[in-house]
Amino acid sequence: MDCMAWDEMEQVPFSRKGRRVSYSVSHDPLRGFPIPYAFGYVMLPEGIMLYSLFTDCEPFEERLRIGIDMEMVIERMMTDRYENDIVCYKFRPSS
């Protein structure tokens, strides 16, 4: 199977909920990202582990914990050089 052959791929929906398995908080500036920002891995029920930015999790020292339930949201990630919004999926702690 050629992983880049579009005719051999299929879309598979996955859950919008998962469990945080790791995280880190970066204080290093990265173009377009406010600092600090949090990121890490979320394990979905289907067994897929996704790398993601995290949102709605401040204060970090209180809300970032391994093993908590997370939910996916779509948010602005950054603005490009033409002032267009770039959106992406992020995860936040489930309510």
Side-chain angles (χ1 to χ4, degrees):
M1 175 181 196
D2 179 1
C3 69
M4 299 307 277
W6 292 102
D7 60 335
E8 294 180 17
M9 294 184 177
E10 65 180 278
Q11 290 187 3
V12 178
F14 53 84
S15 189
R16 294 177 63 93
K17 297 199 179 257
R19 185 159 295 204
R20 181 180 292 141
V21 295
S22 71
Y23 71 89
S24 185
V25 176
S26 179
H27 296 272
D28 292 327
L30 183 61
R31 187 183 149 266
F33 286 82
I35 54 172
Y37 61 94
F39 59 94
Y41 287 92
V42 175
M43 179 64 77
L44 303 182
E46 297 84 2
I48 298 168
M49 191 178 322
L50 293 178
Y51 173 83
S52 180
L53 293 169
F54 297 140
T55 188
D56 299 334
C57 55
E58 292 186 34
F60 296 132
E61 56 277 352
E62 293 177 18
R63 303 213 51 211
L64 286 178
R65 295 185 311 278
I66 301 295
I68 66 169
D69 291 332
M70 304 289 288
E71 63 183 356
M72 184 188 298
V73 295
I74 304 297
E75 289 188 350
R76 185 176 77 75
M77 178 178 68
M78 62 190 298
T79 303
D80 69 13
R81 66 183 182 188
Y82 303 108
E83 300 300 316
N84 297 308
D85 287 342
I86 307 296
V87 297
C88 71
Y89 68 85
K90 296 180 183 179
F91 278 85
R92 68 178 176 205
S94 295
S95 307

